[in-house]
Amino acid sequence: MNDKGLRELIENGRGNESNICQIYAFKDGEPALSFCRSGFKEDDAMHVMSVTKGIMALLEGIAEDNGFISGADCKVLDLFPDYTVKRGEKTIYDVTLKHLLTMTAPYKYRSEPWTKICTSDDWTKAALDLLGGRSGITGEFKYATLGIQILSGVIEKASGMTCLEFANEYLFKPLGIQEIRSHGASSKEDQFDYLMNKAPRKHEWYTDPHGTVTAGWGLTLSARDMAGIGQMVLSGGEYEGKRIISEARINEITSPMQKLPKTFGNMYYGYLWYTPRKGDGVCAAIGDGGNMIYVNRDKNISVGVTGTFKPRIFDRLEFIEKNIIPMTD
């Protein structure tokens, strides 16, 4: 399939392809495919939704490699010594970073309190206030976009840098990704626009009023940026001869640790990264709208896909494997 054929497939397809803006792929360490549409250029960015979570897992691993964090078994409260625990709360003392990274942390809510968090002055503290609860740590998978906001605070407490500074210095700059800037805190209307806007964006990251980046969403990247991150994962933590993160940490992050329910496609989960199937060398960071970093170790390929917001897209991985990978052979 050529570029024209891919464009026709996306624009006339019967699946969920119509929202795709960019596709970029590396094969055998070399650029293999670059595709843009809907007014996007290769250097433009898109809000990649929950792919942001996968980036946070890499940042936590880098912080471990550099000695800022002792390990994933570190207790969350050890990194927030000034935090005042609410009276009667016991569970929070036993929550570790691993619980956050594997989405098995307990929270005191049934549904995520977006308004309460996103209108507070300090989103990390507001997330800590919801951590724990009477049920204790059950090990149950509980997908949390707001709860893992704590990870941004962890990076900041441990490193003495803002999470944005840390990300630019230790991840984005070594990968050749242009500097990510703070979008800043803003109104409810701007938050909604940030999620829904279909136009090309600058490289930025949403932050709370304290300037702490959102850990579960809010990062904008291009498909090429994401494919480059995927290539680093594919190479065991190296990129163009530079060690970004240890291979041991990459293997830990992308290991299939728990089986997810049908609502998550019966995939497996590691540290904020998905493993669609055991044993075939594929892992992915996935966000709403079909935004995805796709890594296939067996075929030595990494793919980045950006797309505008479109709910309930579950077939992007299938689209990549059926249509994009054959184009790189």
Side-chain angles (χ1 to χ4, degrees):
M1 186 187 302
N2 56 24
D3 186 272
K4 181 180 178 182
L6 181 57
R7 189 175 303 276
E8 290 177 351
L9 174 66
I10 291 172
E11 295 178 354
N12 301 322
R14 296 181 179 180
N16 291 306
E17 305 88 12
S18 62
N19 75 323
I20 290 176
C21 300
Q22 303 163 311
I23 304 172
Y24 198 97
F26 285 96
K27 176 69 179 290
D28 297 328
E30 299 292 334
L33 173 69
S34 179
F35 174 84
C36 299
R37 60 182 291 273
S38 297
F40 277 74
K41 301 186 293 295
E42 190 176 287
D43 291 337
D44 289 329
M46 167 58 66
H47 177 207
V48 296
M49 308 289 184
S50 288
V51 172
T52 307
K53 295 179 175 72
I55 302 305
M56 289 303 304
L58 296 174
L59 294 178
E60 192 278 337
I62 292 169
E64 284 190 39
D65 284 341
N66 285 275
F68 295 119
I69 297 171
S70 61
D73 290 327
C74 176
K75 299 289 181 64
V76 169
L77 284 191
D78 286 350
L79 292 154
F80 296 94
D82 297 331
Y83 176 74
T84 301
V85 177
K86 292 185 177 181
R87 185 176 179 180
E89 174 59 56
K90 296 180 180 179
T91 301
I92 193 172
Y93 289 102
D94 295 320
V95 180
T96 66
L97 297 183
K98 187 172 184 178
H99 290 125
L100 295 175
L101 292 165
T102 57
M103 294 289 187
T104 56
Y107 298 100
K108 305 168 194 169
Y109 58 74
R110 289 188 177 182
S111 59
E112 296 198 78
W114 282 86
T115 300
K116 185 173 184 178
I117 297 284
C118 296
T119 58
S120 68
D121 291 332
D122 185 338
W123 293 10
T124 301
K125 181 182 180 301
L128 279 168
D129 288 343
L130 297 170
L131 187 64
R134 295 180 180 178
S135 298
I137 299 173
T138 64
E140 178 185 359
F141 181 82
K142 188 173 184 178
Y143 191 82
T145 292
L146 295 176
I148 65 164
Q149 177 64 31
I150 296 166
L151 287 174
S152 291
V154 165
I155 297 293
E156 297 190 344
K157 290 288 187 180
S159 69
M161 306 167 69
T162 69
C163 192
L164 185 55
E165 290 170 340
F166 186 90
N168 277 317
E169 180 67 23
Y170 286 94
L171 182 63
F172 299 135
K173 185 178 179 180
L175 290 174
I177 295 172
Q178 63 177 275
E179 182 181 1
I180 308 293
R181 299 184 181 276
S182 168
H183 178 79
S186 56
S187 64
K188 179 180 178 181
E189 290 74 22
D190 184 68
Q191 289 181 24
F192 183 81
D193 179 74
Y194 198 90
L195 290 169
M196 299 297 185
N197 196 308
K198 297 182 179 181
R201 305 194 68 96
K202 299 177 181 178
H203 282 69
E204 55 186 349
W205 201 336
Y206 210 91
T207 60
D208 75 359
H210 280 241
T212 301
V213 297
T214 47
W217 60 283
L219 176 62
T220 70
L221 294 168
S222 70
R224 189 190 189 288
D225 297 331
M226 291 201 290
I229 293 167
Q231 178 61 35
M232 183 269 292
V233 171
L234 181 63
S235 299
E238 288 189 351
Y239 186 78
E240 295 184 347
K242 296 176 289 188
R243 173 60 62 186
I244 310 296
I245 181 173
S246 67
E247 185 171 11
R249 209 67 67 212
I250 288 292
N251 291 338
E252 189 173 22
I253 290 168
T254 60
S255 292
M257 298 181 186
Q258 55 184 323
K259 184 71 179 291
L260 301 183
K262 186 177 180 180
T263 50
F264 288 86
N266 295 313
M267 293 189 288
Y268 294 84
Y269 207 61
Y271 286 178
L272 306 179
W273 280 67
Y274 295 85
T275 299
R277 306 165 293 265
K278 275 189 175 181
D280 67 354
V282 174
C283 63
I286 301 174
D288 271 345
N291 288 278
M292 184 176 290
I293 301 173
Y294 171 93
V295 176
N296 190 319
R297 295 180 175 95
D298 291 347
K299 294 185 178 294
N300 205 20
I301 186 171
S302 66
V303 181
V305 181
T306 64
T308 55
F309 179 77
K310 188 176 183 180
R312 302 182 66 79
I313 293 182
F314 301 117
D315 58 357
R316 188 68 85 228
L317 184 135
E318 179 184 352
F319 176 84
I320 290 172
E321 294 185 335
K322 181 179 178 180
N323 300 291
I324 303 306
I325 290 180
M327 290 183 68
T328 66
D329 291 336

